[in-house]
Amino acid sequence: MITVVGPGAVGGLLAALLHRAGEDVVAVARPGTAQRIAAEGLHVRSDAFGTWTAHVPATTEVPAGSAVVLAVKAYALDDVLPGIVAARPPAVLALLNGTAHARALHAAGLADVACGSIQVESAREQDVIVHRGPYCIVTVPDAAAGGAVPEALARAGVTVRTGGTENEVLWRKYSFLAPTALLTSWTDLPIGPALERDPAVTAGVVAEVAAIATAEGLPLESERLMAALRKLPGTLESSLQHDVRRGGASELEALGGNLLGLAAEHGFAAPTLERVVGDLRGRAA
Protein backbone atom coordinates (compact mmCIF):
# COMPACT_ATOMS: atom_id res chain seq x y z
CA MET A 1 0.00 0.00 0.00
CA ILE A 2 1.04 3.59 -0.69
CA THR A 3 -0.29 6.47 1.39
CA VAL A 4 -0.27 9.99 -0.03
CA VAL A 5 -0.06 12.42 2.86
CA GLY A 6 -1.29 15.81 1.67
CA PRO A 7 -3.65 15.18 -1.26
CA GLY A 8 -3.71 18.79 -2.48
CA ALA A 9 -2.86 20.05 -5.95
CA VAL A 10 0.32 17.94 -6.21
CA GLY A 11 -0.37 15.06 -3.83
CA GLY A 12 -3.93 14.74 -5.09
CA LEU A 13 -2.73 14.44 -8.67
CA LEU A 14 -0.26 11.71 -7.68
CA ALA A 15 -2.89 9.86 -5.64
CA ALA A 16 -5.34 10.00 -8.54
CA LEU A 17 -2.74 8.72 -11.00
CA LEU A 18 -1.73 5.87 -8.69
CA HIS A 19 -5.38 4.91 -8.19
CA ARG A 20 -6.11 4.97 -11.92
CA ALA A 21 -3.10 2.70 -12.51
CA GLY A 22 -4.52 0.12 -10.11
CA GLU A 23 -2.12 0.74 -7.24
CA ASP A 24 -3.28 0.18 -3.66
CA VAL A 25 -3.34 3.81 -2.53
CA VAL A 26 -4.98 5.82 0.25
CA ALA A 27 -5.05 9.58 0.86
CA VAL A 28 -4.44 11.02 4.31
CA ALA A 29 -5.78 14.49 5.05
CA ARG A 30 -7.48 16.61 7.69
CA PRO A 31 -10.93 15.32 8.70
CA GLY A 32 -12.99 17.63 6.49
CA THR A 33 -10.83 17.03 3.43
CA ALA A 34 -10.69 13.27 4.00
CA GLN A 35 -14.49 13.17 4.33
CA ARG A 36 -14.93 15.10 1.08
CA ILE A 37 -12.48 12.89 -0.85
CA ALA A 38 -14.14 9.74 0.49
CA ALA A 39 -17.55 10.99 -0.59
CA GLU A 40 -16.73 12.69 -3.90
CA GLY A 41 -13.33 11.41 -5.03
CA LEU A 42 -10.55 13.48 -6.55
CA HIS A 43 -11.59 15.35 -9.69
CA VAL A 44 -8.70 15.84 -12.12
CA ARG A 45 -8.42 17.84 -15.32
CA SER A 46 -5.00 17.30 -16.90
CA ASP A 47 -3.47 18.38 -20.19
CA ALA A 48 -1.28 15.28 -20.12
CA PHE A 49 -3.51 12.61 -18.56
CA GLY A 50 -7.09 13.62 -19.36
CA THR A 51 -10.12 14.25 -17.16
CA TRP A 52 -11.44 11.77 -14.60
CA THR A 53 -12.57 11.27 -11.02
CA ALA A 54 -10.49 8.96 -8.85
CA HIS A 55 -12.40 7.44 -5.95
CA VAL A 56 -9.36 7.18 -3.70
CA PRO A 57 -9.96 5.85 -0.17
CA ALA A 58 -9.29 8.62 2.34
CA THR A 59 -8.59 8.72 6.07
CA THR A 60 -6.95 10.90 8.69
CA GLU A 61 -4.26 8.44 9.84
CA VAL A 62 -1.41 6.74 7.99
CA PRO A 63 -2.12 2.99 7.90
CA ALA A 64 0.48 0.96 9.74
CA GLY A 65 3.18 -0.42 7.45
CA SER A 66 2.20 1.63 4.42
CA ALA A 67 4.82 3.33 2.25
CA VAL A 68 4.37 7.10 2.15
CA VAL A 69 4.45 9.85 -0.46
CA LEU A 70 4.74 13.04 1.58
CA ALA A 71 3.34 16.00 -0.37
CA VAL A 72 2.28 18.53 2.26
CA LYS A 73 3.39 22.16 2.31
CA ALA A 74 6.59 22.57 4.31
CA TYR A 75 4.82 24.40 7.14
CA ALA A 76 2.57 21.36 7.74
CA LEU A 77 5.42 18.89 8.31
CA ASP A 78 5.39 19.19 12.10
CA ASP A 79 1.68 18.32 12.16
CA VAL A 80 1.92 15.15 10.10
CA LEU A 81 5.35 13.79 11.07
CA PRO A 82 4.31 12.10 14.36
CA GLY A 83 1.60 10.13 12.57
CA ILE A 84 4.02 9.02 9.88
CA VAL A 85 6.59 7.89 12.44
CA ALA A 86 3.93 6.00 14.39
CA ALA A 87 2.90 4.07 11.25
CA ARG A 88 6.46 2.74 10.75
CA PRO A 89 6.44 3.03 6.95
CA PRO A 90 8.93 0.87 5.05
CA ALA A 91 9.74 3.82 2.77
CA VAL A 92 9.02 7.56 2.59
CA LEU A 93 9.38 9.70 -0.52
CA ALA A 94 9.17 13.37 0.47
CA LEU A 95 8.36 15.96 -2.20
CA LEU A 96 8.50 19.16 -0.14
CA ASN A 97 10.05 22.48 -1.13
CA GLY A 98 13.27 23.75 0.43
CA THR A 99 15.84 21.71 2.32
CA ALA A 100 15.04 22.07 6.02
CA HIS A 101 12.54 19.19 5.94
CA ALA A 102 15.30 16.74 5.05
CA ARG A 103 16.99 17.27 8.40
CA ALA A 104 13.73 16.76 10.28
CA LEU A 105 12.82 13.60 8.39
CA HIS A 106 16.22 11.99 8.74
CA ALA A 107 16.27 12.81 12.45
CA ALA A 108 12.85 11.24 13.05
CA GLY A 109 14.04 7.63 13.12
CA LEU A 110 12.25 6.54 9.96
CA ALA A 111 13.57 3.41 8.27
CA ASP A 112 14.01 4.63 4.68
CA VAL A 113 13.62 8.30 3.70
CA ALA A 114 14.31 9.78 0.27
CA CYS A 115 13.82 13.50 -0.27
CA GLY A 116 13.12 14.23 -3.91
CA SER A 117 11.58 16.98 -6.01
CA ILE A 118 8.67 17.32 -8.41
CA GLN A 119 8.33 19.45 -11.51
CA VAL A 120 4.63 19.99 -12.21
CA GLU A 121 2.17 22.83 -12.71
CA SER A 122 -0.84 21.78 -10.70
CA ALA A 123 -3.42 23.84 -8.82
CA ARG A 124 -6.75 23.40 -7.10
CA GLU A 125 -9.52 25.37 -8.76
CA GLN A 126 -12.63 25.02 -6.63
CA ASP A 127 -12.91 21.23 -6.23
CA VAL A 128 -10.86 20.28 -9.30
CA ILE A 129 -7.14 19.51 -9.52
CA VAL A 130 -6.00 21.26 -12.69
CA HIS A 131 -2.73 19.98 -14.18
CA ARG A 132 -1.39 22.20 -16.94
CA GLY A 133 1.31 21.35 -19.44
CA PRO A 134 2.97 18.08 -20.37
CA TYR A 135 5.20 17.68 -17.33
CA CYS A 136 4.89 15.62 -14.19
CA ILE A 137 8.48 14.76 -13.33
CA VAL A 138 9.68 13.34 -10.02
CA THR A 139 13.42 13.35 -9.40
CA VAL A 140 14.80 11.07 -6.69
CA PRO A 141 18.33 10.57 -5.35
CA ASP A 142 20.33 7.86 -7.05
CA ALA A 143 20.12 5.77 -3.89
CA ALA A 144 16.30 5.66 -4.17
CA ALA A 145 16.24 4.37 -7.75
CA GLY A 146 14.21 1.20 -8.09
CA GLY A 147 12.39 1.71 -4.81
CA ALA A 148 8.76 0.64 -4.45
CA VAL A 149 7.35 4.18 -4.43
CA PRO A 150 9.27 5.55 -7.44
CA GLU A 151 8.46 2.37 -9.38
CA ALA A 152 4.74 2.72 -8.59
CA LEU A 153 4.77 6.37 -9.71
CA ALA A 154 6.46 5.36 -12.96
CA ARG A 155 3.81 2.72 -13.60
CA ALA A 156 1.18 5.41 -13.05
CA GLY A 157 2.60 7.57 -15.84
CA VAL A 158 4.80 9.93 -13.83
CA THR A 159 8.23 10.54 -15.34
CA VAL A 160 10.71 9.40 -12.68
CA ARG A 161 14.35 10.40 -12.90
CA THR A 162 17.43 10.16 -10.71
CA GLY A 163 19.58 13.19 -10.01
CA GLY A 164 22.66 12.42 -7.91
CA THR A 165 22.76 12.79 -4.16
CA GLU A 166 19.76 13.89 -2.12
CA ASN A 167 21.43 17.26 -1.50
CA GLU A 168 21.93 17.79 -5.23
CA VAL A 169 18.32 16.88 -6.03
CA LEU A 170 16.97 19.29 -3.44
CA TRP A 171 19.26 22.19 -4.29
CA ARG A 172 18.71 21.99 -8.04
CA LYS A 173 15.07 22.81 -7.42
CA TYR A 174 15.50 25.06 -4.39
CA SER A 175 18.09 27.34 -6.01
CA PHE A 176 15.67 27.96 -8.88
CA LEU A 177 12.43 28.04 -6.91
CA ALA A 178 13.56 30.37 -4.12
CA PRO A 179 14.37 33.45 -6.24
CA THR A 180 11.27 32.85 -8.38
CA ALA A 181 8.99 32.64 -5.34
CA LEU A 182 10.61 35.47 -3.39
CA LEU A 183 10.75 37.97 -6.26
CA THR A 184 7.20 37.31 -7.49
CA SER A 185 5.92 37.56 -3.91
CA TRP A 186 7.90 40.70 -3.02
CA THR A 187 6.70 42.54 -6.13
CA ASP A 188 3.35 40.73 -6.39
CA LEU A 189 4.01 40.53 -10.12
CA PRO A 190 4.52 37.67 -12.59
CA ILE A 191 8.15 36.64 -12.93
CA GLY A 192 8.79 38.62 -16.13
CA PRO A 193 8.01 42.08 -14.71
CA ALA A 194 9.18 40.99 -11.25
CA LEU A 195 12.71 40.51 -12.57
CA GLU A 196 12.66 44.05 -14.00
CA ARG A 197 10.94 45.92 -11.14
CA ASP A 198 14.14 46.58 -9.17
CA PRO A 199 17.23 45.29 -11.02
CA ALA A 200 19.47 45.77 -7.98
CA VAL A 201 17.22 43.65 -5.77
CA THR A 202 16.90 41.00 -8.47
CA ALA A 203 20.67 40.82 -8.91
CA GLY A 204 21.22 40.70 -5.16
CA VAL A 205 18.71 37.90 -4.56
CA VAL A 206 20.13 35.83 -7.41
CA ALA A 207 23.76 36.36 -6.33
CA GLU A 208 23.03 35.50 -2.69
CA VAL A 209 21.02 32.38 -3.54
CA ALA A 210 23.81 31.21 -5.85
CA ALA A 211 26.39 31.79 -3.12
CA ILE A 212 24.36 29.83 -0.55
CA ALA A 213 23.77 26.96 -2.99
CA THR A 214 27.51 26.83 -3.70
CA ALA A 215 28.32 26.79 0.01
CA GLU A 216 25.80 23.96 0.46
CA GLY A 217 27.52 21.80 -2.13
CA LEU A 218 25.87 22.68 -5.45
CA PRO A 219 28.28 24.97 -7.34
CA LEU A 220 26.17 27.64 -9.05
CA GLU A 221 27.10 30.82 -10.90
CA SER A 222 24.72 33.75 -10.49
CA GLU A 223 24.86 34.46 -14.23
CA ARG A 224 23.64 30.97 -15.04
CA LEU A 225 20.84 31.21 -12.48
CA MET A 226 19.75 34.59 -13.84
CA ALA A 227 19.70 33.25 -17.39
CA ALA A 228 17.51 30.33 -16.28
CA LEU A 229 15.05 32.68 -14.58
CA ARG A 230 14.80 34.82 -17.70
CA LYS A 231 13.80 31.75 -19.71
CA LEU A 232 10.66 31.27 -17.61
CA PRO A 233 7.30 32.27 -19.11
CA GLY A 234 6.93 35.91 -18.20
CA THR A 235 3.37 35.41 -16.93
CA LEU A 236 4.34 32.76 -14.36
CA GLU A 237 3.27 33.40 -10.77
CA SER A 238 4.34 31.41 -7.72
CA SER A 239 2.27 29.58 -5.11
CA LEU A 240 4.09 31.55 -2.40
CA GLN A 241 2.93 34.74 -4.11
CA HIS A 242 -0.68 33.53 -4.04
CA ASP A 243 -0.40 32.52 -0.36
CA VAL A 244 1.14 35.84 0.65
CA ARG A 245 -1.54 37.71 -1.26
CA ARG A 246 -4.29 35.76 0.51
CA GLY A 247 -2.69 35.92 3.94
CA GLY A 248 -2.37 33.02 6.35
CA ALA A 249 0.08 30.12 6.20
CA SER A 250 2.79 30.14 3.55
CA GLU A 251 6.16 28.59 2.74
CA LEU A 252 8.01 31.88 3.34
CA GLU A 253 10.15 30.41 6.11
CA ALA A 254 10.89 27.21 4.19
CA LEU A 255 11.97 29.17 1.11
CA GLY A 256 13.27 32.47 2.48
CA GLY A 257 13.89 32.04 6.19
CA ASN A 258 15.84 28.86 5.57
CA LEU A 259 18.17 30.73 3.19
CA LEU A 260 18.91 33.33 5.84
CA GLY A 261 19.65 30.62 8.38
CA LEU A 262 22.03 28.87 5.99
CA ALA A 263 23.83 32.12 5.15
CA ALA A 264 24.38 32.67 8.88
CA GLU A 265 25.66 29.12 9.30
CA HIS A 266 28.23 29.72 6.56
CA GLY A 267 29.21 33.09 8.02
CA PHE A 268 28.35 35.48 5.23
CA ALA A 269 25.86 38.29 4.85
CA ALA A 270 22.78 38.17 2.63
CA PRO A 271 21.49 41.75 2.84
CA THR A 272 19.15 41.58 -0.14
CA LEU A 273 17.52 38.39 1.06
CA GLU A 274 17.21 39.93 4.52
CA ARG A 275 15.37 42.89 3.00
CA VAL A 276 13.03 40.82 0.83
CA VAL A 277 12.23 38.21 3.48
CA GLY A 278 11.86 40.92 6.11
CA ASP A 279 9.39 42.85 3.95
CA LEU A 280 7.36 39.68 3.32
CA ARG A 281 7.38 38.79 7.03
CA GLY A 282 6.11 42.26 7.81
CA ARG A 283 3.38 41.96 5.22
CA ALA A 284 2.31 38.62 6.65
CA ALA A 285 2.26 40.01 10.20
Side-chain angles (χ1 to χ4, degrees):
M1 176 184 287
I2 296 175
T3 297
V4 177
V5 179
V10 173
L13 175 63
L14 297 179
L17 287 169
L18 288 166
H19 182 268
R20 189 171 72 165
E23 301 290 340
D24 185 8
V25 60
V26 62
V28 166
R30 293 187 176 93
T33 302
Q35 184 177 17
R36 178 181 55 78
I37 293 172
E40 303 174 9
L42 292 167
H43 308 297
V44 179
R45 186 168 71 245
S46 167
D47 291 344
F49 302 110
T51 299
W52 80 102
T53 297
H55 293 282
V56 180
T59 182
T60 58
E61 303 289 340
V62 179
S66 172
V68 168
V69 175
L70 181 56
V72 297
K73 294 277 191 175
Y75 55 76
L77 179 61
D78 289 345
D79 292 336
V80 302
L81 186 53
I84 294 173
V85 172
R88 298 182 178 273
V92 176
L93 174 61
L95 299 174
L96 281 68
N97 291 325
T99 62
H101 64 281
R103 297 183 184 183
L105 287 167
H106 287 299
L110 294 161
D112 182 6
V113 174
C115 295
S117 67
I118 185 166
Q119 178 186 347
V120 66
E121 185 179 352
S122 186
R124 289 194 66 89
E125 296 183 3
Q126 297 180 342
D127 289 331
V128 179
I129 297 168
V130 179
H131 170 222
R132 296 184 174 88
Y135 302 112
C136 184
I137 303 171
V138 168
T139 304
V140 301
D142 289 347
V149 176
E151 289 293 304
L153 290 172
R155 289 193 298 270
V158 177
T159 300
V160 179
R161 299 175 177 171
T162 57
T165 67
E166 182 176 273
N167 189 59
E168 289 169 336
V169 170
L170 292 177
W171 270 100
R172 283 195 190 97
K173 181 174 182 179
Y174 187 27
S175 62
F176 186 77
L177 175 62
T180 303
L182 292 173
L183 290 169
T184 55
S185 301
W186 186 67
T187 61
D188 198 16
L189 293 169
I191 189 62
L195 290 171
E196 305 303 328
R197 168 58 67 87
D198 189 324
V201 169
T202 295
V205 166
V206 170
E208 290 165 18
V209 169
I212 295 167
T214 299
E216 282 288 294
L218 183 71
L220 181 60
E221 297 175 354
S222 59
E223 294 81 3
R224 183 158 62 88
L225 178 55
M226 182 73 81
L229 294 173
R230 294 195 182 283
K231 291 180 181 178
L232 287 169
T235 56
L236 180 118
E237 295 188 343
S238 68
S239 60
L240 176 62
Q241 176 184 2
H242 297 161
D243 290 341
V244 169
R245 185 186 295 157
R246 285 192 298 264
S250 78
E251 291 190 307
L252 176 59
E253 295 308 317
L255 296 178
N258 186 51
L259 287 172
L260 296 179
L262 292 171
E265 285 184 19
H266 290 288
F268 58 81
T272 316
L273 286 170
E274 287 178 2
R275 174 186 174 186
V276 169
V277 174
D279 286 350
L280 290 171
R281 284 171 171 166
R283 199 183 305 171

